[in-house]
Amino acid sequence: MLLPLMLCAAIPATVQEESKVPPYTLPDPLVCADGRRVTDAKTWNEVRRPEVFRLVEENMFGRTPDTARLQADAVVEVREQSKDAFGGKATRTQFRVWPIGKQGPSFDMLLYVPNGAKRPAPVFVGLNFGGNHTTAEEPGVFVPASWVSKQWALKGTAQADPAQRGGQARRWEFEALVDRGYASATAYYGDFEPDHPEGWKSGFRAAVSPDGVNTKWRDGEWGAIGCWAWGLSRMLDVLEKVPSVDAGRAAVHGHSRLGKAALWAGAQDRRFAFVISNNSGCGGAALNKRIFGETVGVISGHYPGRGFPHWFTARFETFSEKEDKLPLDAHYLLALVAPRPLYVASASEDSWADPLGEFLGAVHADPVYQVLGQPGLGTKEFPPVGQPVGRTVGYHLRAGKHDILLEDWKNYADFADRHLKSR
Ligand code: GTR
């Protein structure tokens, strides 16, 4: 009778105290596989960056298939437009996009662009959790037809509840950004892939795979985070064709699991000029080898009934309780953004996401920025609550819970003013 108990992996206690963090060693992003040290941009770009990229791809998110040929069939339709959004300050446009043609799935994109701008506006691009209608109070915003999680669904269904309109508006400071000269685009993440283990079947993962089956279970194939990141790039494809928007000054952002997706999108798609990780935690900006809060085992579904096995490539789970064997860490993912501006933000009560681990992810990506001639983060000192730091790499620790709030947006817009507005 003891056997089943022994076979069932017990979840180690969550470390929430600094004194309980076991010692760990990080690999050096500036040492090539052949032992050479990177001291110049050329070696980083031609030798080391591709190696770092492959490590992140193979061990965390899986390989994003090349969909260029399928995208030749993309169809973009404007479903609705109003020049009177936010009392006439902005133009709202709602697109329906079939990125691989009308035989495949579609997504809806909501775009706000400031009216009367002298030149095309820089744009914030991000996915939302509940449907576009939850991000704004405006009655004209469409409700998604795809799967939504319980929180946003009509009771007992997976159908979006129209009464949840504006339910996440406090996380989307569209109007404040318009006032500062920024456009914003959002799409519902479930349009790309419903967020559950069977979600791939009705999302783009199945639609773009050559044989139409779930390829995740073959080693190296992508998970849902990879699919959401792919979706962010498809949003940018559409924005590139909007004359009032400057897609060359696009900031990709995301909160929590969507922060992980934003980082991976920014790493893969160098058209994104600025990358923002809001409370992305484990599998995002937080170091995995530093055992604090959520761990590889918990997030990757190693323990029955816990975690999100569909988010990552299958290999990630094999590092559960073996984080020391990981040939990379979060600083590799962050370093892939260099030399472009990067912002990592934490919240003081978000110990599950390990705020210090997120900061240290940025600290250890910093040498790559320096090699590329950028001032980067420029500090190793964990800043006090409410005091943003950094130059090309920004960081702040906001007081409060796991969330994205006006204070976060204010810091992102200030940082964007310095890096995007001046271009
Ligand atoms: C949690 C998960 C985190 C984070 C969060 C979210 O349950 O453990 O990694 O992604 O969800 O996305 O809100």
Side-chain angles (χ1 to χ4, degrees):
M1 279 329 276
L2 277 176
L3 198 61
L5 277 178
M6 283 161 63
L7 287 176
C8 179
I11 307 183
T14 306
V15 175
Q16 304 271 18
E17 261 172 66
E18 211 43 53
S19 61
K20 302 226 166 94
V21 176
Y24 61 93
T25 320
L26 295 177
D28 189 336
L30 289 176
V31 176
C32 299
D34 64 6
R36 240 184 311 165
R37 169 154 279 281
V38 179
T39 53
D40 59 87
K42 190 170 187 290
T43 315
W44 169 257
N45 287 323
E46 290 173 11
V47 183
R48 188 54 180 157
R49 189 183 189 276
E51 289 177 355
V52 168
F53 186 90
R54 263 193 305 280
L55 286 168
V56 175
E57 184 180 64
E58 283 169 7
N59 296 290
M60 289 185 75
F61 302 121
R63 186 176 42 83
T64 305
D66 180 359
T67 54
R69 225 163 36 94
L70 298 171
Q71 286 165 231
D73 296 330
V75 177
V76 180
E77 286 175 10
V78 173
R79 288 186 78 193
E80 188 264 354
Q81 190 168 58
S82 159
K83 297 202 176 359
D84 297 320
F86 308 128
K89 283 191 224 172
T91 295
R92 176 186 70 230
T93 310
Q94 298 189 74
F95 300 87
R96 176 149 298 173
V97 187
W98 290 264
I100 59 167
K102 281 211 169 169
Q103 78 291 350
S106 64
F107 70 91
D108 281 358
M109 185 170 86
L110 169 64
L111 172 68
Y112 289 100
V113 182
N115 285 333
K118 287 196 194 67
R119 59 175 186 140
V123 59
F124 284 90
V125 185
L127 296 171
N128 65 71
F129 282 94
N132 293 348
H133 68 300
T134 65
T135 66
E137 305 285 354
E138 294 202 312
V141 180
F142 296 119
V143 178
S146 47
W147 168 97
V148 296
S149 68
K150 243 203 204 140
Q151 189 188 354
W152 305 108
L154 288 162
K155 207 159 183 263
T157 75
Q159 283 258 288
D161 177 0
Q164 300 271 13
R165 183 173 298 288
Q168 292 248 293
R170 63 183 182 83
R171 282 189 171 175
W172 294 85
E173 292 293 341
F174 296 135
E175 191 173 351
L177 289 168
V178 159
D179 288 340
R180 296 186 59 157
Y182 291 97
S184 288
T186 188
Y188 170 52
Y189 83 139
D191 279 358
F192 293 100
E193 176 162 331
D195 190 1
H196 57 79
E198 303 293 301
W200 61 270
K201 293 178 185 169
S202 55
F204 281 96
R205 244 199 301 166
V208 307
S209 72
D211 44 13
V213 295
N214 179 15
T215 51
K216 173 175 178 188
W217 312 112
R218 283 187 234 133
D219 201 20
E221 294 301 341
W222 59 338
I225 290 176
C227 188
W228 298 325
W230 180 88
L232 285 160
S233 287
R234 302 296 71 82
M235 292 171 72
L236 191 55
D237 296 342
V238 178
L239 292 167
E240 279 185 329
K241 305 230 161 64
V242 178
S244 56
V245 164
D246 182 357
R249 292 187 293 155
V252 62
H253 65 89
H255 169 62
S256 205
R257 70 197 68 183
L258 296 177
K260 310 180 212 294
L263 287 172
W264 185 223
Q268 294 180 93
D269 191 338
R270 289 195 256 186
R271 292 176 302 167
F272 286 115
F274 172 25
V275 181
I276 302 168
S277 146
N278 191 85
N279 306 181
S280 65
C282 182
L287 295 175
N288 296 296
K289 291 175 191 283
R290 190 184 124 83
I291 306 302
F292 190 103
E294 190 171 30
T295 59
V296 174
V298 170
I299 202 170
S300 66
H302 184 63
Y303 310 105
R306 288 287 303 270
F308 310 92
H310 58 292
W311 285 1
F312 300 93
T313 194
R315 196 184 297 178
F316 195 47
E317 193 236 311
T318 66
F319 297 101
S320 305
E321 296 178 46
K322 295 192 196 88
E323 288 85 351
D324 56 323
K325 300 277 186 305
L326 260 176
L328 75 157
D329 213 321
H331 57 316
Y332 280 40
L333 172 60
L334 298 178
L336 289 171
V337 176
R340 292 164 293 159
L342 165 71
Y343 203 113
V344 174
S346 310
S348 64
E349 292 169 34
D350 189 14
S351 60
W352 187 240
D354 186 11
L356 180 57
E358 293 177 316
F359 175 71
L360 291 172
V363 166
H364 291 285
D366 213 23
V368 176
Y369 277 83
Q370 324 279 316
V371 159
L372 299 179
Q374 288 296 323
L377 183 65
T379 178
K380 291 188 167 57
E381 224 173 284
F382 194 38
V385 166
Q387 286 185 28
V389 291
R391 310 262 307 270
T392 339
V393 179
Y395 178 85
H396 72 249
L397 177 65
R398 172 181 49 73
K401 294 197 175 18
H402 187 68
D403 208 340
I404 173 162
L405 300 175
L406 186 58
E407 179 184 332
D408 300 303
W409 281 114
K410 192 194 161 295
N411 290 337
Y412 301 148
D414 286 350
F415 197 80
D417 282 354
R418 295 209 292 279
H419 294 283
L420 300 182
K421 278 273 179 74
S422 52
R423 282 188 201 169

